[in-house]
Amino acid sequence: MDDSAVDYAAVFQALPGMVALLRPDLVVADVNEDFLRTAGRKREQMMGRQLFDVFPDNPNDPAATGMRNLKASLRRVLTTGERDAMALQRHDVEDPERPGHWRERYWSPCNAPVLGPDGEVVLLVHRVEEVTELIRARGDQSAGRIRVLEAELYTRARELQEINEQLRQAHAREREVALALREAMLPARPQVGDHRAAVRYRPAIGALNVCGDWYDLVDLVGGHRLGVSVGDVVGNGLAAAGVMGQLRSALSATSRVAAGPAQALEVLGRYAHVVDGAESATAVMTFIDFDEHSITYSSAGHPPPVLMHPDGRVEFLDRATDPPLDARPDPVPRPQAGTTFADGATLVLYTDGLIERRREDVDTGLARLAHSLTRHREAAPEPLADAVLRELLPPGGATDDTALVIVRL
C-alpha cells in the first residue's frame, strides 16, 4: 500500500489515547474519538474553539494550575519548535451535563509541533494519557498503609513527648546551674564607696540567662581609686560563662597589683593565650583616681568607654585601642591613655551587644548611645541604665549578650 492509499483521517480517529490537533492560536482543529469519550465532550463542543475555553481551570479552586501549565507548555513548543513532555497534571474538568460541577482528573500531556515547508509551526499535536483511575487505585491501596503509619506516628509522638519532657527537665537544671554561676561571678550590687553605680546584664535571646560578657569594679591599692572593666567572650551559655569567669577573676586580681590598665591587660592577654575558648576575647580596663580627677584606660579590641561630662558633652575614650587579648603570639606592651573629669561626670562601659546591629555601621550605634546618654544626663545611674537599655536594645531582645556599667564620678 502506498502513501496515497492511507486514510490518515481514519488513522487519526483510531489512535489510542486522547489526541487533539491545535492551530497556532490554540484553537482546536481536530480531535480523535478517544479524546471526546474520555473528556465527555461532543465534537461540536470542541471544534473551532480555543482549547482553554473548553477546559478552563476550576474557578472555585485558587490553587488550580493545570490548564495554565498546559498553556505555557504549548507556547514553548510554538516558540522553540520542539516537543515538550509535561509532568503529571491535575485537571478539574467541568461536567457537561451538570454545569458548575467539577470532576478531579489526572492527565499526563505531551505536546509536539507539526512544521510547515518554511520550518514554522503550523499545527500542534496535543496528546494526553488519562491516569485518573491509576491514581485513585494507588490511593485506595495506600489507605491501609496510611492507617498503619498513623498508628506508628502516634506511638512516635508519645515517645517524643517523653523525650521533650526529659529535655525540659534537663534544661531547667542547666538553667539553675547558669543562674548560680551568674550570681557567683557577677554581683548585682557592686560597691564603689561613696559613688553611685549601676550595672546591667542582658543575655542574648535564647541563652540560659548567662553569657560570656562580664563586668567588674574593684578598689585599687593606694589612694581613692577604683578599677572598672568589662569584657566579652565569644559565644554564650555555660561554656562561654566558664571562660568568662576565668578571665574576669584573673583581671580582677591583676588590676589590684598592676601599675596601670595597660599592664593589667598585658598579663590577662598572656593568661588568655592558654585558656581554651578565650580566642578573640576582648576587654577594656579603666583606672579612676578620684583624688586626681583622672581616668587612665586601655582597650584590648573592645568598644571605647564613654565619659559624659556634667554639661552633657560626650567623649569616647578611644586613644588606647589594641587587638583582642590573645591576638598576638608574643606579648608586647599595650597602649594606655588618660583624661580628666569634673565632679558629676559619668563613666559608661559596655559590651558590643549594646551598640552593634546587623547591616549597620558601628558608628551609628555609638552615636545612638551618645544621644541617649545626653538626653538623660540628669538621671541617676540606675534610671540612666534603664533608659539606655530601653532605647538601644531591640524590644524582643538582642541577638548578642550585653553588659553595661555606669559610674557617677
Side-chain angles (χ1 to χ4, degrees):
M1 179 182 292
D2 58 25
D3 289 347
S4 62
V6 177
D7 186 348
Y8 286 101
V11 171
F12 175 75
Q13 292 301 326
L15 286 174
M18 303 168 64
V19 183
L21 293 179
L22 308 176
R23 300 193 321 227
D25 57 0
L26 306 183
V27 168
V28 177
D30 203 353
V31 63
N32 75 344
E33 293 299 327
D34 263 9
F35 200 114
L36 295 172
R37 177 180 52 79
T38 306
R41 295 293 187 274
K42 297 179 180 179
R43 180 171 295 277
E44 58 267 23
Q45 291 176 316
M46 296 192 62
M47 295 296 293
R49 297 184 64 193
Q50 200 187 62
L51 182 65
F52 303 103
D53 290 336
V54 182
F55 301 106
D57 273 323
N58 185 351
N60 303 316
D61 183 2
T65 60
M67 299 311 290
R68 193 184 317 162
N69 296 339
L70 174 58
K71 183 181 290 187
S73 172
L74 293 169
R75 294 200 181 282
R76 280 196 298 272
V77 175
L78 287 169
T79 301
T80 64
E82 297 179 356
R83 178 180 303 186
D84 188 65
M86 299 179 64
L88 180 67
Q89 301 290 317
R90 172 186 167 179
H91 296 280
D92 288 351
V93 178
E94 188 174 21
D95 188 337
E97 304 299 328
R98 304 171 64 197
H101 290 77
W102 298 76
R103 294 179 295 175
E104 183 180 293
R105 310 294 287 272
Y106 290 90
W107 291 351
S108 181
C110 180
N111 304 303
V114 177
L115 304 179
D118 58 356
E120 295 295 322
V121 178
V122 295
L123 285 173
L124 294 164
V125 179
H126 172 52
R127 182 177 62 82
V128 177
E129 292 291 339
E130 166 72 42
V131 292
T132 302
E133 294 305 320
L134 176 61
I135 296 296
R136 288 174 178 168
R138 287 182 176 176
D140 293 339
Q141 294 172 4
S142 299
R145 293 196 296 271
I146 289 174
R147 285 192 290 272
V148 174
L149 288 173
E150 286 176 344
E152 293 180 356
L153 287 173
Y154 177 77
T155 301
R156 297 297 183 190
R158 293 296 300 272
E159 293 174 352
L160 286 174
Q161 285 180 346
E162 294 177 0
I163 293 172
N164 286 335
E165 177 59 22
Q166 294 172 2
L167 289 175
R168 186 193 64 78
Q169 294 176 2
H171 183 81
R173 289 193 296 270
E174 189 176 9
R175 186 173 184 274
E176 290 176 1
V177 173
L179 289 173
L181 185 63
R182 170 185 170 180
E183 293 299 324
M185 291 191 294
L186 297 177
R189 298 182 179 277
Q191 301 298 317
V192 292
D194 298 332
H195 299 271
R196 290 175 294 170
V199 296
R200 294 292 185 272
Y201 176 93
R202 296 291 183 271
I205 299 172
L208 289 170
N209 210 25
V210 68
C211 60
D213 290 8
W214 84 80
Y215 59 81
D216 199 17
L217 298 93
V218 297
D219 289 322
L220 301 177
V221 177
H224 187 192
R225 299 194 306 151
L226 179 70
V228 184
S229 64
V230 295
D232 187 354
V233 172
V234 175
N236 52 50
L238 291 178
V243 177
M244 173 269 285
Q246 295 180 71
L247 297 182
R248 175 184 174 274
S249 297
L251 183 58
S252 181
T254 302
S255 61
R256 286 176 165 85
V257 296
Q263 188 181 66
L265 291 182
E266 289 171 22
V267 176
L268 183 64
R270 297 181 189 183
Y271 178 66
H273 196 65
V274 298
V275 175
D276 290 338
E279 298 83 4
S280 301
T282 66
V284 62
M285 185 79 220
T286 62
F287 281 16
I288 306 171
D289 190 321
F290 292 100
D291 294 331
E292 299 292 334
H293 283 71
S294 67
I295 301 173
T296 53
Y297 60 91
S298 183
S299 173
H302 203 83
V306 181
L307 176 62
M308 181 171 64
H309 296 276
D311 61 0
R313 180 172 57 89
V314 169
E315 177 184 355
F316 286 101
L317 307 184
D318 56 4
R319 293 183 291 113
T321 301
D322 218 27
L325 291 172
D326 67 336
R328 296 190 180 98
D330 299 317
V332 298
R334 289 186 176 270
Q336 179 172 297
T339 189
T340 59
F341 63 87
D343 289 336
T346 303
L347 179 65
V348 181
L349 280 72
Y350 53 93
T351 55
D352 55 11
L354 184 69
I355 60 167
E356 291 186 358
R357 298 291 176 268
R358 289 180 181 177
R359 296 181 293 276
E360 182 180 272
D361 188 87
V362 67
D363 288 339
T364 302
L366 292 173
R368 188 163 48 235
L369 172 59
H371 184 65
S372 179
L373 291 171
T374 301
R375 184 164 55 251
H376 302 285
R377 62 181 178 273
E378 300 297 333
E382 289 290 343
L384 177 58
D386 291 335
V388 168
L389 290 182
R390 184 174 59 251
E391 294 180 359
L392 268 68
L393 293 186
T399 57
D400 195 7
D401 311 321
T402 301
L404 174 66
V405 180
I406 296 179
V407 181
R408 184 59 46 84
L409 303 175

